[in-house]
Amino acid sequence: MHDCVKSLMAFLRLQCGTLRIRLALRLIGLFSLLLCLCLVLVCAMEFLFIRNHVRRLLNTYTTEFQYEYICRMEEPPDGTPLPLNKIPQHWLKAIDGVISNFHPFGAYSISHENHYSIAGTAEGTPCLVEYDSRLDFVPKVQRFTADGHLDYLRAEFHEEMFAHRADQMFLLSTTPNGTLRCASEFEKNFLEATLERMQKSPVEDGYFPLTVADEDCLLQFSTLYDGNRLVIGVDVEKYRKFILQEIYVFLGVLLAMIPVGAIVAFYMSRHVLQGLVQLGNQTREIAKGNFTQQLPRQENVQEINDLIDSFNSMATKIHGLLMELQDVSDNVAHDLRTPLTRMKAQAELELQRGNAVDIAATVAENCDDMLLLINTMLELTRLERHFQPVAPVPVNLNALLLKLHEAFSTLVEDKCIDFKLDLPEKQIHVLATPRGIEQMIANLIDNAIKYTPPGGRIDISLTEQSGTAELHVADTGCGIPENEISKIFNRFYRCDHSRTTPGNGLGLSMVKAVAESIGGKVCVQSVLHHGTTFTVSMPIDVFASPPAVTVEKK
């Protein structure tokens, strides 16, 4: 049993450590948080609604009892209570023109007749004023005596209690110092607490919360026209219970929605992370050596697609690098095997003849070939890693091209090739190592001579374009197939038609490495059977001040 528990706990820890489970748990937490926020928002709205509803109810009854206390009659049957602060000042001015010193205490609007009934006092006498807002006219004024108001109010209290439960609302009237005048039937503890609060200190007109025996109610105090007080209370306990019931219902819905949210979250996490799962599977395939796998793109998941594209590109480049490494290994083995085989055969032949001197010469010659190959590879590595053992200096390209042109002239004449050099008047300098840039240009000229047939033409020109020196080496040789142009700068790569020509396939690799080491680049344009043009662009050393020279040599 203990082992089973340990295994279960280990499995849960392993699953909780996966990105899918963690993402699903975060989605569930976010979903639950949103539901809780909705609960808080709903409860806040319910609370505000109930508070405003209770206050409107208290205002309605206060207006009604103020009106009935003055007039000793029911409020207009089709009237709407009008708050005293909503009575326009020009109405009161119109009323003052008819009855002076009028103070309103309760008002009702009869909208379909544009009439208003306003109860108040004029010089201490209760009266009722009828006002026509359309004509701004007071058609009628009624005055009342001060007798019988309390009995009428007591009767109205009992009448209202028939319409409302006694445990939900209570009504009472007191003297200014808190002595009870009349009250509706309600619990004595509320009555005692209200009277005690009024007798303790004066209570201004307005709302006052009161808690008795863990039950809450809201009171509204108002002053009647004769100075006595009117108190109306509403039990808010039922509203609080209503909010609690809604909270319980919402919590139940929340608990019921959590499993649904968990299912949705697990499905969404599985859908979103599908690309990562496939990426992991492909990584395992690559670890086995299979670099041809390509992940399919996902629908509507841009971030995962970006990751998939990057991984596919990386896998393709790794595959290309491995294939290039394999080709380089094969070519190196071939280039090293050839001089070793020749050296071995020559040594065996000379041993049979007994000629030790020729054996030594052959061994030395082939060792020189292998050392040249190895040194070229090391030089390429240093250039590609931007490691320069010698500091670059300004190199005069005009002078260097003149020197190389003269050096290759004899070889060109033997093949009857038209060999031209075109240099500008301005002396152009570049910042480079003299040996490296000389080797780069020599490789380009040697390639042009090697693949240009007798009677052909080689043109070398140097130009300046916006602070950049451009060296052009053009020939009328055999050209390069279009599908092989992008590969000619790879180490040891040789086109099919050039495999019978002497060389090791490192010349153009060296050209590209030297050009890039000085901030330049190499471009090639070729038409099969018509010729090839190599263009090397190099930044000019603007601090050099060369003399002018014009040279054109054939």
Side-chain angles (χ1 to χ4, degrees), residues 491-506:
R491 292 189 185 187
F492 299 103
Y493 183 81
R494 306 186 71 189
C495 299
D496 292 336
H497 64 272
S498 64
R499 296 189 183 278
T500 57
T501 306
N504 52 28
L506 292 176

Side-chain angles (χ1 to χ4, degrees), residues 152-332:
Y152 189 86
L153 187 63
R154 185 181 293 110
E156 285 297 316
F157 281 177
H158 289 290
E159 181 180 343
E160 289 296 338
M161 287 301 98
F162 283 106
H164 297 82
R165 291 175 53 186
D167 58 347
Q168 295 179 359
M169 184 176 181
F170 59 91
L171 312 165
L172 69 152
S173 178
T174 67
T175 61
N177 59 6
T179 303
L180 181 65
R181 298 174 66 210
C182 65
S184 62
E185 296 180 2
F186 60 97
E187 297 182 8
K188 291 184 178 181
N189 51 358
F190 279 103
L191 176 61
E192 294 174 354
T194 303
L195 295 177
E196 180 182 355
R197 176 65 185 84
M198 295 182 67
Q199 293 170 0
K200 182 184 300 184
S201 62
V203 181
E204 297 181 355
D205 290 354
Y207 303 102
F208 182 81
L210 182 67
T211 302
V212 178
D214 297 331
E215 292 190 11
D216 297 329
C217 65
L218 183 64
L219 308 179
Q220 183 175 15
F221 292 86
S222 61
T223 302
L224 298 171
Y225 82 94
D226 55 5
N228 293 310
R229 305 300 301 276
L230 173 67
V231 182
I232 303 176
V234 174
D235 185 7
V236 296
E237 187 68 24
K238 66 170 184 177
Y239 299 110
R240 187 174 65 179
K241 291 180 179 179
F242 175 75
I243 293 179
L244 288 176
Q245 288 177 355
E246 286 202 346
I247 292 175
Y248 294 147
V249 171
F250 207 92
L251 289 176
V253 173
L254 174 62
L255 293 177
M257 289 296 293
I258 286 179
V260 178
I263 296 173
V264 174
F266 277 105
Y267 174 78
M268 291 177 61
S269 63
R270 179 181 180 183
H271 177 70
V272 171
L273 299 178
Q274 185 177 0
L276 294 180
V277 174
Q278 293 180 354
L279 193 62
N281 295 334
Q282 186 182 9
T283 305
R284 286 187 284 272
E285 289 294 325
I286 289 177
K288 297 177 183 178
N290 184 5
F291 291 93
T292 60
Q293 294 284 336
Q294 291 288 307
L295 279 177
R297 291 173 61 86
Q298 307 245 332
E299 294 183 1
N300 302 324
V301 188
Q302 184 61 40
E303 291 77 7
I304 299 295
N305 285 335
D306 292 341
L307 180 61
I308 289 173
D309 292 340
S310 300
F311 193 86
N312 288 338
S313 176
M314 182 187 68
T316 302
K317 289 182 179 179
I318 292 175
H319 180 65
L321 289 173
L322 288 177
M323 296 302 295
E324 183 178 345
L325 179 62
Q326 184 177 354
D327 292 340
V328 169
S329 301
D330 294 342
N331 291 327
V332 170

Side-chain angles (χ1 to χ4, degrees), residues 455-471:
R457 177 187 177 93
I458 297 176
D459 292 315
I460 302 175
S461 62
L462 180 65
T463 60
E464 179 186 358
Q465 297 289 339
S466 302
T468 301
E470 292 189 353
L471 171 65

Side-chain angles (χ1 to χ4, degrees), residues 123-145:
E123 297 180 350
T125 303
C127 58
L128 177 65
V129 176
E130 301 255 344
Y131 177 76
D132 189 336
S133 62
R134 183 177 56 186
L135 301 176
D136 193 17
F137 174 66
V138 179
K140 182 179 180 181
V141 176
Q142 290 181 268
R143 297 178 183 272
F144 305 95
T145 62

